[in-house]
Amino acid sequence: MSNTYVIGDIHGGFKALKQILERAPITKNDTLIFLGDYVDGWSEAPAVLDFIIELSKTQKCIFMRGNHEEMLLKWLKKEDDNPLWRFHGGEVSVQSYQKIDSETIEKHIAFLENLNEYYIDSKNRLFVHAGFTNLKGVDYEFFRGMFWWDRTLWETAMAVDGNLQENDPRYPERLKLYKEVFIGHTPVTRFGSSVPMNFANVWNVDTGAAFKGKLCILNVDTKQYWQSDALPDLYPNEKGRN
């Protein structure tokens, strides 16, 4: 029997990533789905990318693109140097790449260029970094950046949870399209939670690793989850995105 696990936003926290992979009962038959934002925040972005690239050679892994990958990729390719990105965690990544050789950087560029916008499994479960806006679904999304920037899907799920039944004509069409949706991007710590949150059929597994929270891995079938130590405890001499 194999299991599928989904992993929230890592934000350069390599120590936390190693912890959750050790704490969860993962076997070689299992699938790991990463929701993006591997970088920007803590100091080990290159180590995170090196590790997951190697991991994918021995473990079935599916990688989503997050908004931070989009911005890092532009910087690595010398296409853009966004000061707002630097302010929101990118500066740490810039500094962490100063001692990385060009061959490794090219490997990371190739990896970042080939990340998935979204993934739908055989049970019609959608995995995407942030969300989507098109009422017909992800295949019809006009502005692809919504996959790594949107917050309205999560806000919609929060608003209807417990207030509307699916057969109600006011029930949002987006929430009817997929059996379940798994997202990151919007830390649950903003809502006073330290663990994965579920509203309607949307699961948010970004448990605030970029800030003062923990990194999370969740079994998509059983909803059992495992977390790392709080990231400031793992990196006591760093600020993360705090």
Side-chain angles (χ1 to χ4, degrees):
M1 179 180 176
S2 62
N3 293 291
T4 299
Y5 296 90
V6 61
I7 297 169
D9 303 31
I10 301 167
H11 284 288
F14 183 41
K15 294 177 183 178
L17 176 59
K18 289 190 291 185
Q19 280 190 336
I20 62 168
L21 294 180
E22 291 169 356
R23 292 173 179 179
I26 298 166
T27 73
K28 290 299 181 182
N29 296 321
D30 296 333
T31 299
L32 304 181
I33 300 179
F34 292 78
L35 290 178
D37 277 6
Y38 314 104
V39 302
D40 300 347
W42 307 97
S43 63
E44 297 193 275
V48 169
L49 295 186
D50 278 339
F51 180 81
I52 61 178
I53 289 170
E54 289 304 308
L55 179 65
S56 67
K57 297 176 181 179
T58 57
Q59 186 88 38
K60 182 178 180 182
C61 297
I62 301 170
F63 300 107
M64 302 306 121
R65 172 179 293 181
N67 52 304
H68 285 270
E69 281 73 62
E70 179 190 28
M71 294 182 287
L72 175 65
L73 178 60
K74 289 179 179 178
W75 178 77
L76 289 175
K77 295 174 71 174
K78 298 180 172 57
E79 295 177 350
D80 189 26
D81 190 348
N82 188 327
L84 193 60
W85 162 66
R86 283 191 179 234
F87 178 78
H88 288 288
E91 182 62 34
V92 180
S93 294
V94 168
Q95 296 305 317
S96 69
Y97 269 97
Q98 297 308 304
K99 296 181 180 180
I100 303 300
D101 63 86
S102 59
E103 182 178 352
T104 298
I105 289 175
E106 289 302 316
K107 180 176 67 173
H108 290 183
I109 288 174
F111 173 77
L112 295 171
E113 287 180 330
N114 287 283
L115 295 171
N116 294 285
E117 293 179 333
Y118 60 85
Y119 173 70
I120 303 172
D121 72 5
S122 61
K123 297 181 181 179
N124 195 36
R125 297 180 295 201
L126 171 67
F127 301 83
V128 63
H129 176 65
F132 67 98
T133 61
N134 196 292
L135 300 185
K136 293 183 180 180
V138 292
D139 291 333
Y140 298 88
E141 191 70 62
F142 176 75
F143 177 52
R144 314 302 282 186
M146 285 299 178
F147 296 137
W148 44 89
W149 285 107
D150 176 63
R151 298 193 197 276
T152 65
L153 180 75
W154 177 238
E155 293 165 352
T156 298
M158 293 180 70
V160 305
D161 186 80
N163 296 315
L164 293 176
Q165 300 299 314
E166 192 169 339
N167 58 1
D168 190 304
R170 296 170 295 172
Y171 196 87
E173 291 297 321
R174 276 189 293 174
L175 301 182
K176 298 178 182 179
L177 295 171
Y178 305 101
K179 180 181 178 182
E180 290 179 308
V181 183
F182 295 86
I183 63 169
H185 187 57
T186 304
V188 299
T189 48
R190 292 186 181 183
F191 312 100
S193 180
S194 60
V195 300
M197 295 182 74
N198 165 231
F199 288 103
N201 62 336
V202 181
W203 286 84
N204 185 337
V205 295
D206 179 357
T207 53
F211 302 96
K212 296 181 180 179
K214 304 174 180 181
L215 183 59
C216 184
I217 181 170
L218 178 140
N219 183 311
V220 301
D221 291 305
T222 68
K223 304 305 185 291
Q224 185 176 3
Y225 63 87
W226 299 261
Q227 290 181 288
S228 69
D229 296 349
L231 273 290
D233 293 336
L234 295 175
Y235 296 92
N237 298 316
E238 300 181 23
K239 293 183 178 179
R241 292 185 61 197
N242 297 295

